[in-house]
Protein backbone atom coordinates (compact mmCIF):
# COMPACT_ATOMS: atom_id res chain seq x y z
CA UNK A 1 0.00 0.00 0.00
CA UNK A 2 1.12 3.53 -0.71
CA UNK A 3 -0.44 6.68 0.62
CA UNK A 4 -0.20 10.27 -0.45
CA UNK A 5 -1.02 11.27 3.11
CA UNK A 6 -2.08 9.66 6.31
CA UNK A 7 -3.84 11.66 8.99
CA UNK A 8 -2.05 11.31 12.32
CA UNK A 9 -4.04 10.30 15.36
CA UNK A 10 -4.16 12.42 18.45
CA UNK A 11 -1.26 11.63 20.76
CA UNK A 12 -0.51 12.39 24.40
CA UNK A 13 1.92 15.18 25.14
CA UNK A 14 3.35 13.30 28.11
CA UNK A 15 3.31 9.79 29.50
CA UNK A 16 0.23 9.28 31.58
CA UNK A 17 -0.90 12.92 31.38
CA UNK A 18 -3.77 12.33 28.97
CA UNK A 19 -3.13 15.72 27.35
CA UNK A 20 -3.98 15.95 23.64
CA UNK A 21 -1.76 17.64 21.08
CA UNK A 22 -4.11 20.24 19.45
CA UNK A 23 -2.28 20.10 16.08
CA UNK A 24 -2.56 16.34 15.93
CA UNK A 25 -6.23 16.49 16.88
CA UNK A 26 -7.01 18.96 14.09
CA UNK A 27 -5.11 16.83 11.57
CA UNK A 28 -7.09 13.77 12.60
CA UNK A 29 -10.53 15.31 12.06
CA UNK A 30 -10.08 17.78 9.19
CA UNK A 31 -10.98 16.04 5.92
CA UNK A 32 -8.53 15.93 3.03
CA UNK A 33 -9.39 18.76 0.63
CA UNK A 34 -6.61 18.91 -1.94
CA UNK A 35 -6.23 16.33 -4.69
CA UNK A 36 -2.54 15.78 -4.00
CA UNK A 37 -3.24 14.69 -0.41
CA UNK A 38 -5.71 11.92 -1.15
CA UNK A 39 -5.14 8.37 -0.06
CA UNK A 40 -3.84 5.99 -2.71
CA UNK A 41 -3.81 2.23 -2.27
CA UNK A 42 -3.96 -1.01 -4.23
CA UNK A 43 -6.01 -2.61 -1.43
CA UNK A 44 -9.78 -1.99 -1.75
CA UNK A 45 -10.21 -2.45 2.01
CA UNK A 46 -8.25 0.77 2.63
CA UNK A 47 -10.99 2.90 1.08
CA UNK A 48 -14.23 1.66 2.56
CA UNK A 49 -17.57 2.03 0.80
CA UNK A 50 -18.28 5.62 -0.28
CA UNK A 51 -21.09 7.36 1.56
CA UNK A 52 -21.28 10.61 -0.40
CA UNK A 53 -19.71 12.64 2.40
CA UNK A 54 -16.17 12.20 1.06
CA UNK A 55 -14.74 15.15 -0.85
CA UNK A 56 -14.33 13.11 -4.06
CA UNK A 57 -17.84 11.59 -3.88
CA UNK A 58 -19.94 14.47 -2.56
CA UNK A 59 -21.43 15.35 -5.96
CA UNK A 60 -21.77 11.79 -7.26
CA UNK A 61 -24.96 9.64 -7.22
CA UNK A 62 -23.76 7.04 -4.71
CA UNK A 63 -26.83 4.80 -4.93
CA UNK A 64 -26.56 4.50 -8.71
CA UNK A 65 -22.81 3.79 -8.50
CA UNK A 66 -23.26 1.13 -5.82
CA UNK A 67 -22.80 -1.87 -8.21
CA UNK A 68 -19.18 -0.74 -8.66
CA UNK A 69 -18.48 -0.87 -4.90
CA UNK A 70 -18.94 -4.65 -4.65
CA UNK A 71 -15.70 -6.58 -4.11
CA UNK A 72 -16.27 -9.48 -6.43
CA UNK A 73 -15.00 -10.44 -9.85
CA UNK A 74 -17.50 -10.03 -12.64
CA UNK A 75 -18.22 -12.88 -15.04
CA UNK A 76 -16.07 -13.15 -18.15
CA UNK A 77 -17.36 -11.85 -21.46
CA UNK A 78 -19.42 -8.97 -20.07
CA UNK A 79 -17.55 -6.60 -22.39
CA UNK A 80 -16.33 -7.72 -25.79
CA UNK A 81 -13.16 -6.06 -27.03
CA UNK A 82 -12.21 -5.41 -30.64
CA UNK A 83 -8.86 -3.78 -31.36
CA UNK A 84 -8.02 -2.28 -34.73
CA UNK A 85 -4.38 -1.25 -34.76
CA UNK A 86 -1.56 -0.73 -37.26
CA UNK A 87 0.91 -3.61 -37.44
CA UNK A 88 3.60 -1.61 -35.64
CA UNK A 89 1.59 -1.46 -32.41
CA UNK A 90 2.62 -4.04 -29.81
CA UNK A 91 -0.16 -5.78 -27.89
CA UNK A 92 0.66 -7.74 -24.73
CA UNK A 93 -1.01 -8.94 -21.52
CA UNK A 94 0.44 -7.88 -18.18
CA UNK A 95 -0.03 -9.64 -14.87
CA UNK A 96 0.19 -7.60 -11.68
CA UNK A 97 3.86 -6.72 -11.17
CA UNK A 98 4.74 -6.97 -14.86
CA UNK A 99 6.18 -3.68 -16.12
CA UNK A 100 5.02 -1.16 -17.13
CA UNK A 101 1.77 -2.00 -15.32
CA UNK A 102 1.75 -0.03 -12.09
CA UNK A 103 4.77 2.08 -13.06
CA UNK A 104 2.69 5.20 -12.52
CA UNK A 105 -0.87 4.19 -11.62
CA UNK A 106 -2.02 4.38 -8.01
CA UNK A 107 -5.76 3.83 -7.25
CA UNK A 108 -7.41 6.87 -5.66
CA UNK A 109 -10.80 5.35 -4.90
CA UNK A 110 -12.61 2.06 -4.35
CA UNK A 111 -13.67 1.29 -7.96
CA UNK A 112 -10.08 1.89 -9.17
CA UNK A 113 -8.67 -0.43 -6.49
CA UNK A 114 -11.24 -3.11 -7.35
CA UNK A 115 -10.45 -2.79 -11.06
CA UNK A 116 -6.75 -3.22 -10.28
CA UNK A 117 -7.42 -6.27 -8.09
CA UNK A 118 -9.82 -8.09 -10.38
CA UNK A 119 -7.99 -7.46 -13.68
CA UNK A 120 -5.65 -10.45 -13.72
CA UNK A 121 -4.11 -9.67 -17.11
CA UNK A 122 -4.05 -6.04 -18.17
CA UNK A 123 -3.90 -5.36 -21.92
CA UNK A 124 -0.92 -3.26 -23.04
CA UNK A 125 -0.96 -1.11 -26.18
CA UNK A 126 2.57 0.05 -26.95
CA UNK A 127 3.75 2.37 -29.71
CA UNK A 128 7.44 1.51 -30.21
CA UNK A 129 10.20 4.11 -30.12
CA UNK A 130 10.39 6.45 -33.12
CA UNK A 131 7.28 4.93 -34.73
CA UNK A 132 4.74 7.41 -36.11
CA UNK A 133 1.28 5.91 -36.68
CA UNK A 134 -0.63 7.01 -39.76
CA UNK A 135 -3.92 5.64 -38.44
CA UNK A 136 -5.38 5.66 -34.92
CA UNK A 137 -5.61 2.59 -32.73
CA UNK A 138 -9.32 2.00 -32.13
CA UNK A 139 -10.45 -0.13 -29.20
CA UNK A 140 -14.17 -0.87 -29.30
CA UNK A 141 -15.63 -2.08 -25.99
CA UNK A 142 -19.20 -3.36 -26.19
CA UNK A 143 -21.02 -4.28 -23.00
CA UNK A 144 -23.68 -6.97 -22.81
CA UNK A 145 -24.74 -6.42 -19.18
CA UNK A 146 -23.19 -7.21 -15.82
CA UNK A 147 -20.16 -6.24 -13.78
CA UNK A 148 -16.80 -5.77 -15.50
CA UNK A 149 -13.34 -4.61 -14.37
CA UNK A 150 -10.45 -3.47 -16.53
CA UNK A 151 -6.95 -2.05 -16.25
CA UNK A 152 -5.55 -0.86 -19.59
CA UNK A 153 -1.97 0.30 -20.15
CA UNK A 154 -1.08 2.62 -23.03
CA UNK A 155 2.61 3.33 -23.58
CA UNK A 156 4.18 5.67 -26.13
CA UNK A 157 7.89 4.94 -26.20
CA UNK A 158 10.51 7.67 -26.82
CA UNK A 159 9.95 9.92 -29.87
CA UNK A 160 6.90 8.00 -31.05
CA UNK A 161 3.64 9.50 -32.23
CA UNK A 162 0.14 8.07 -32.31
CA UNK A 163 -3.52 8.17 -31.30
CA UNK A 164 -5.56 5.68 -29.29
CA UNK A 165 -9.37 5.81 -29.23
CA UNK A 166 -11.39 3.93 -26.60
CA UNK A 167 -15.04 3.54 -27.65
CA UNK A 168 -17.60 2.38 -25.07
CA UNK A 169 -21.00 1.07 -26.21
CA UNK A 170 -23.76 -1.26 -25.07
CA UNK A 171 -24.39 -1.67 -21.35
CA UNK A 172 -22.38 -2.73 -18.30
CA UNK A 173 -21.43 -1.80 -14.76
CA UNK A 174 -17.85 -1.00 -15.62
CA UNK A 175 -14.97 -0.05 -13.29
CA UNK A 176 -12.03 0.88 -15.49
CA UNK A 177 -8.45 2.03 -15.06
CA UNK A 178 -6.41 3.50 -17.92
CA UNK A 179 -2.68 3.91 -17.24
CA UNK A 180 -0.89 6.16 -19.75
CA UNK A 181 2.87 6.55 -20.01
CA UNK A 182 4.33 9.04 -22.48
CA UNK A 183 8.10 8.63 -22.71
CA UNK A 184 10.66 11.30 -23.60
CA UNK A 185 9.86 13.17 -26.80
CA UNK A 186 6.70 11.18 -27.58
CA UNK A 187 3.42 12.74 -28.77
CA UNK A 188 0.31 10.76 -27.78
CA UNK A 189 -3.40 11.44 -28.13
CA UNK A 190 -5.89 9.39 -26.10
CA UNK A 191 -9.62 9.80 -26.75
CA UNK A 192 -12.23 8.11 -24.55
CA UNK A 193 -15.72 8.12 -26.06
CA UNK A 194 -18.70 7.08 -23.93
CA UNK A 195 -21.78 6.26 -26.01
CA UNK A 196 -23.26 3.67 -23.66
CA UNK A 197 -26.92 2.71 -23.43
CA UNK A 198 -29.00 4.64 -20.92
CA UNK A 199 -28.67 2.00 -18.16
CA UNK A 200 -24.87 1.74 -18.15
CA UNK A 201 -22.77 2.75 -15.14
CA UNK A 202 -19.13 3.60 -15.83
CA UNK A 203 -16.47 4.82 -13.41
CA UNK A 204 -13.03 5.29 -14.96
CA UNK A 205 -9.73 6.46 -13.53
CA UNK A 206 -7.24 7.67 -16.16
CA UNK A 207 -3.75 8.34 -14.84
CA UNK A 208 -0.93 9.57 -17.06
CA UNK A 209 2.72 10.53 -16.72
CA UNK A 210 4.32 12.73 -19.37
CA UNK A 211 8.13 12.73 -19.50
CA UNK A 212 10.75 15.15 -20.86
CA UNK A 213 9.67 17.15 -23.94
CA UNK A 214 6.71 14.79 -24.43
CA UNK A 215 3.11 15.76 -25.17
CA UNK A 216 -0.22 14.20 -24.21
CA UNK A 217 -3.57 15.26 -25.62
CA UNK A 218 -6.34 13.64 -23.58
CA UNK A 219 -9.99 13.94 -24.63
CA UNK A 220 -13.10 12.73 -22.78
CA UNK A 221 -16.37 12.62 -24.76
CA UNK A 222 -19.46 11.54 -22.81
CA UNK A 223 -22.87 11.36 -24.47
CA UNK A 224 -24.36 8.02 -23.40
CA UNK A 225 -24.75 6.13 -20.15
CA UNK A 226 -26.88 6.55 -17.05
CA UNK A 227 -23.92 7.47 -14.85
CA UNK A 228 -20.49 8.15 -16.37
CA UNK A 229 -17.61 9.28 -14.14
CA UNK A 230 -14.30 9.65 -16.00
CA UNK A 231 -11.54 11.17 -13.88
CA UNK A 232 -8.28 12.03 -15.68
CA UNK A 233 -5.09 12.67 -13.70
CA UNK A 234 -2.00 13.87 -15.60
CA UNK A 235 1.46 14.41 -14.17
CA UNK A 236 3.80 16.56 -16.25
CA UNK A 237 6.94 15.07 -14.75
CA UNK A 238 9.68 15.94 -17.23
CA UNK A 239 11.07 19.32 -18.28
CA UNK A 240 9.18 20.71 -21.25
CA UNK A 241 6.25 18.28 -20.90
CA UNK A 242 2.86 19.35 -22.26
CA UNK A 243 -0.65 18.26 -21.29
CA UNK A 244 -3.75 19.22 -23.27
CA UNK A 245 -6.90 17.98 -21.52
CA UNK A 246 -10.22 18.47 -23.29
CA UNK A 247 -13.74 17.29 -22.53
CA UNK A 248 -17.14 17.30 -24.18
CA UNK A 249 -20.44 16.15 -22.68
CA UNK A 250 -24.13 16.31 -23.49
CA UNK A 251 -26.38 15.30 -20.62
CA UNK A 252 -30.03 14.38 -21.16
CA UNK A 253 -32.84 13.77 -18.68
CA UNK A 254 -31.75 11.31 -16.00
CA UNK A 255 -28.09 11.29 -17.03
CA UNK A 256 -25.20 12.09 -14.69
CA UNK A 257 -21.95 12.87 -16.51
CA UNK A 258 -18.93 13.69 -14.36
CA UNK A 259 -15.21 14.40 -14.66
CA UNK A 260 -12.75 15.24 -11.91
CA UNK A 261 -9.62 16.50 -13.64
CA UNK A 262 -6.18 16.73 -12.02
CA UNK A 263 -3.18 18.31 -13.72
CA UNK A 264 0.08 18.20 -11.75
CA UNK A 265 2.93 20.38 -13.05
CA UNK A 266 5.93 18.62 -11.54
CA UNK A 267 8.82 19.40 -13.91
CA UNK A 268 10.07 22.83 -15.03
CA UNK A 269 8.84 24.68 -18.13
CA UNK A 270 5.72 22.53 -18.49
CA UNK A 271 2.58 23.63 -20.34
CA UNK A 272 -0.99 22.76 -19.42
CA UNK A 273 -4.27 23.55 -21.14
CA UNK A 274 -7.58 22.24 -19.74
CA UNK A 275 -10.91 22.99 -21.42
CA UNK A 276 -14.13 21.07 -20.76
CA UNK A 277 -17.48 22.03 -22.28
CA UNK A 278 -20.91 20.59 -21.63
CA UNK A 279 -24.53 21.01 -22.67
CA UNK A 280 -27.53 19.90 -20.64
CA UNK A 281 -31.17 19.47 -21.58
CA UNK A 282 -34.08 17.74 -19.90
CA UNK A 283 -35.43 17.33 -16.40
CA UNK A 284 -32.76 16.08 -13.96
CA UNK A 285 -29.95 16.24 -16.52
CA UNK A 286 -26.77 16.62 -14.47
CA UNK A 287 -23.10 17.31 -15.06
CA UNK A 288 -20.24 17.65 -12.60
CA UNK A 289 -16.79 19.04 -13.34
CA UNK A 290 -14.08 19.48 -10.73
CA UNK A 291 -10.72 20.74 -11.95
CA UNK A 292 -7.55 20.70 -9.84
CA UNK A 293 -4.24 22.13 -11.03
CA UNK A 294 -1.14 21.82 -8.84
CA UNK A 295 2.03 23.71 -9.79
CA UNK A 296 4.73 22.08 -7.69
CA UNK A 297 7.77 23.73 -6.11
CA UNK A 298 10.09 22.57 -8.92
CA UNK A 299 7.72 23.52 -11.76
CA UNK A 300 9.42 26.82 -12.57
CA UNK A 301 8.48 28.46 -15.85
CA UNK A 302 5.08 26.76 -15.92
CA UNK A 303 2.28 28.02 -18.17
CA UNK A 304 -1.12 26.62 -17.21
CA UNK A 305 -4.80 27.40 -17.64
CA UNK A 306 -8.01 25.48 -16.93
CA UNK A 307 -11.59 26.33 -17.85
CA UNK A 308 -15.04 24.76 -17.78
CA UNK A 309 -18.05 26.09 -19.71
CA UNK A 310 -21.59 24.75 -19.47
CA UNK A 311 -24.70 25.57 -21.47
CA UNK A 312 -28.04 24.79 -19.79
CA UNK A 313 -30.71 24.41 -22.45
CA UNK A 314 -33.82 23.60 -20.38
CA UNK A 315 -35.28 24.02 -16.92
CA UNK A 316 -34.54 21.24 -14.44
CA UNK A 317 -30.95 20.65 -15.58
CA UNK A 318 -28.01 21.31 -13.26
CA UNK A 319 -24.29 21.77 -13.82
CA UNK A 320 -21.77 21.85 -10.96
CA UNK A 321 -18.38 23.35 -11.77
CA UNK A 322 -15.51 23.74 -9.28
CA UNK A 323 -12.05 24.90 -10.44
CA UNK A 324 -9.10 24.77 -8.03
CA UNK A 325 -5.54 26.04 -8.43
CA UNK A 326 -2.53 25.48 -6.14
CA UNK A 327 0.78 27.22 -6.82
CA UNK A 328 3.89 26.27 -4.82
CA UNK A 329 6.45 28.38 -6.69
CA UNK A 330 6.48 32.05 -7.61
CA UNK A 331 8.59 31.57 -10.75
CA UNK A 332 5.97 30.79 -13.41
CA UNK A 333 4.97 32.20 -16.78
CA UNK A 334 1.29 32.20 -15.97
CA UNK A 335 -1.57 30.27 -14.38
CA UNK A 336 -5.30 30.77 -14.17
CA UNK A 337 -8.70 29.15 -14.10
CA UNK A 338 -12.25 29.99 -15.09
CA UNK A 339 -15.73 28.53 -14.88
CA UNK A 340 -19.03 29.65 -16.40
CA UNK A 341 -22.48 28.08 -16.47
CA UNK A 342 -25.37 29.83 -18.14
CA UNK A 343 -28.61 29.46 -20.01
CA UNK A 344 -29.08 29.85 -23.71
CA UNK A 345 -27.95 33.30 -24.82
CA UNK A 346 -31.06 35.20 -25.91
CA UNK A 347 -28.94 37.92 -27.50
CA UNK A 348 -27.25 35.42 -29.82
CA UNK A 349 -30.66 33.97 -30.65
CA UNK A 350 -32.07 37.40 -31.44
CA UNK A 351 -29.05 38.27 -33.59
CA UNK A 352 -29.55 35.18 -35.77
CA UNK A 353 -33.33 35.56 -35.98
CA UNK A 354 -32.91 39.19 -37.03
CA UNK A 355 -31.05 37.87 -40.05
CA UNK A 356 -33.87 35.62 -41.15
CA UNK A 357 -32.85 32.39 -39.40
CA UNK A 358 -35.70 30.44 -37.80
CA UNK A 359 -35.59 30.00 -34.00
CA UNK A 360 -34.98 26.22 -34.04
CA UNK A 361 -32.16 26.58 -36.56
CA UNK A 362 -30.68 29.49 -34.61
CA UNK A 363 -30.62 27.42 -31.42
CA UNK A 364 -28.95 24.56 -33.27
CA UNK A 365 -26.25 26.83 -34.67
CA UNK A 366 -25.46 28.36 -31.28
CA UNK A 367 -25.11 24.99 -29.55
CA UNK A 368 -23.04 23.52 -32.36
CA UNK A 369 -20.76 26.53 -32.31
CA UNK A 370 -20.35 26.19 -28.54
CA UNK A 371 -19.46 22.48 -28.55
CA UNK A 372 -17.60 22.17 -31.85
CA UNK A 373 -14.55 23.92 -30.38
CA UNK A 374 -13.78 20.69 -28.51
CA UNK A 375 -14.73 18.41 -31.41
CA UNK A 376 -12.30 20.19 -33.72
CA UNK A 377 -9.39 19.56 -31.34
CA UNK A 378 -9.65 15.77 -31.60
CA UNK A 379 -7.86 15.59 -34.94
CA UNK A 380 -9.69 12.51 -36.32
CA UNK A 381 -11.99 13.63 -39.17
CA UNK A 382 -14.26 10.56 -39.09
CA UNK A 383 -14.80 10.84 -35.34
CA UNK A 384 -15.33 14.59 -35.53
CA UNK A 385 -18.08 14.08 -38.14
CA UNK A 386 -19.69 11.38 -35.98
CA UNK A 387 -19.74 13.62 -32.92
CA UNK A 388 -21.24 16.58 -34.78
CA UNK A 389 -24.00 14.22 -35.97
CA UNK A 390 -24.46 13.00 -32.40
CA UNK A 391 -24.90 16.56 -31.16
CA UNK A 392 -27.43 17.19 -33.93
CA UNK A 393 -29.31 14.07 -32.83
CA UNK A 394 -29.34 15.18 -29.18
CA UNK A 395 -30.74 18.58 -30.16
CA UNK A 396 -33.39 17.04 -32.39
CA UNK A 397 -34.53 14.75 -29.58
CA UNK A 398 -34.69 17.70 -27.22
CA UNK A 399 -36.78 19.71 -29.67
CA UNK A 400 -39.19 16.81 -30.14
CA UNK A 401 -39.65 16.23 -26.40
Amino acid sequence: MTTATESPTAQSTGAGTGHIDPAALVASVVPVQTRSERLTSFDPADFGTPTGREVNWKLSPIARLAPLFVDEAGPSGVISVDVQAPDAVEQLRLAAGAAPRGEHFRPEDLPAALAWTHETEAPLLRIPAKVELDEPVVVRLTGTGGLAHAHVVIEAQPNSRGTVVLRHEGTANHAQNVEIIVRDGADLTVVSVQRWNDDAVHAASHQARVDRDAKLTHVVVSFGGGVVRVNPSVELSGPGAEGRLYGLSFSDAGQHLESQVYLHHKGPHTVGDVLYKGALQGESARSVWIGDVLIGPDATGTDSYEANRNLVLTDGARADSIPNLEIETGDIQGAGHASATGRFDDEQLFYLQARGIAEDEARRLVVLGFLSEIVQRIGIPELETELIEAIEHELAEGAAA
Side-chain angles (χ1 to χ4, degrees):
M1 181 190 76
T2 63
T3 59
T5 184
E6 295 181 351
S7 297
T9 57
Q11 298 180 356
S12 299
T13 57
T17 65
H19 293 163
I20 301 299
D21 179 359
L25 179 60
V26 170
S28 69
V29 298
V30 174
V32 171
Q33 295 294 331
T34 59
R35 184 72 176 261
S36 59
E37 295 178 343
R38 291 184 187 173
L39 169 76
T40 65
S41 175
F42 293 101
D43 185 353
D46 288 334
F47 292 101
T49 302
T51 64
R53 294 187 296 272
E54 302 84 357
V55 65
N56 57 325
W57 293 104
K58 64 182 180 180
L59 297 176
S60 303
I62 297 298
R64 297 174 70 182
L65 286 161
L68 302 184
F69 303 153
V70 179
D71 190 358
E72 63 181 37
S76 61
V78 169
I79 295 181
S80 64
V81 180
D82 176 64
V83 181
Q84 299 178 6
D87 293 339
V89 176
E90 298 177 6
Q91 300 185 52
L92 303 171
R93 308 287 295 188
L94 303 175
R101 179 180 179 178
E103 179 178 323
H104 175 68
F105 193 93
R106 298 292 184 272
E108 286 186 317
D109 57 31
L110 179 59
L114 291 172
W116 174 274
T117 300
H118 294 298
E119 176 64 280
T120 56
E121 288 189 326
L124 167 67
L125 298 171
R126 173 184 286 151
I127 304 174
K130 300 182 180 180
V131 168
E132 297 190 7
L133 302 181
D134 294 328
E135 298 292 332
V137 179
V138 179
V139 182
R140 187 179 297 273
L141 302 105
T142 305
T144 58
L147 177 64
H149 300 97
H151 186 95
V152 180
V153 183
I154 301 171
E155 180 187 12
Q157 292 196 319
N159 301 306
S160 64
R161 180 187 297 269
T163 298
V164 177
V165 181
L166 306 174
R167 301 181 58 101
H168 304 88
E169 301 168 348
T171 187
N173 296 320
H174 190 34
Q176 179 192 53
N177 299 332
V178 180
E179 182 171 7
I180 303 167
I181 302 171
V182 190
R183 308 288 186 187
D184 292 354
D187 186 344
L188 177 67
T189 297
V190 176
V191 184
S192 182
V193 181
Q194 287 65 241
R195 301 199 68 182
W196 297 103
N197 295 348
D198 290 342
D199 58 347
V201 177
H202 182 195
S205 178
H206 292 212
Q207 294 187 19
R209 192 190 72 223
V210 187
D211 293 337
R212 177 186 292 269
D213 296 325
K215 178 181 178 181
L216 172 65
T217 301
H218 186 277
V219 186
V220 177
V221 179
S222 296
F223 283 1
V227 179
V228 174
R229 187 179 193 260
V230 180
N231 294 346
S233 171
V234 176
E235 177 185 290
L236 303 178
S237 64
E242 296 186 24
R244 314 284 180 175
L245 283 64
Y246 305 130
L248 170 65
S249 65
F250 200 120
S251 181
D252 285 328
Q255 280 188 302
H256 179 103
L257 306 180
E258 178 175 343
S259 282
Q260 298 187 25
V261 183
Y262 180 40
L263 179 61
H264 181 187
H265 292 267
K266 190 173 183 180
H269 304 290
T270 52
V271 176
D273 181 26
V274 180
L275 178 60
Y276 273 59
K277 285 191 169 186
L280 304 92
Q281 70 176 1
E283 186 71 27
S284 71
R286 181 80 184 275
S287 70
V288 171
W289 180 87
I290 301 174
D292 289 280
V293 172
L294 170 61
I295 300 175
D298 298 322
T300 56
T302 285
D303 186 6
S304 185
Y305 195 82
E306 66 167 345
N308 175 230
R309 314 287 186 190
N310 298 294
L311 184 59
V312 179
L313 301 176
T314 60
D315 292 335
R318 173 179 169 179
D320 288 281
S321 179
I322 305 173
N324 301 293
L325 175 62
E326 296 178 78
I327 304 175
E328 297 180 339
T329 176
D331 183 9
I332 62 173
Q333 289 191 27
H337 58 182
S339 171
T341 299
R343 295 189 177 275
F344 197 88
D345 192 328
D346 290 332
E347 289 187 6
Q348 289 179 315
L349 184 62
F350 175 79
Y351 177 87
L352 293 171
Q353 288 183 278
R355 281 149 181 78
I357 300 175
E359 180 178 355
D360 288 347
E361 177 65 8
R363 290 176 63 89
R364 185 186 72 86
L365 291 173
V366 170
V367 177
L368 281 174
F370 175 74
L371 296 178
S372 62
E373 179 182 5
I374 301 297
V375 175
Q376 292 168 0
R377 298 187 185 197
I378 294 175
I380 306 173
E382 297 84 357
L383 181 56
E384 292 177 1
T385 299
E386 175 190 332
L387 294 178
I388 291 296
E389 292 174 353
I391 295 170
E392 298 258 20
H393 178 71
E394 296 278 2
L395 292 171
E397 284 194 338

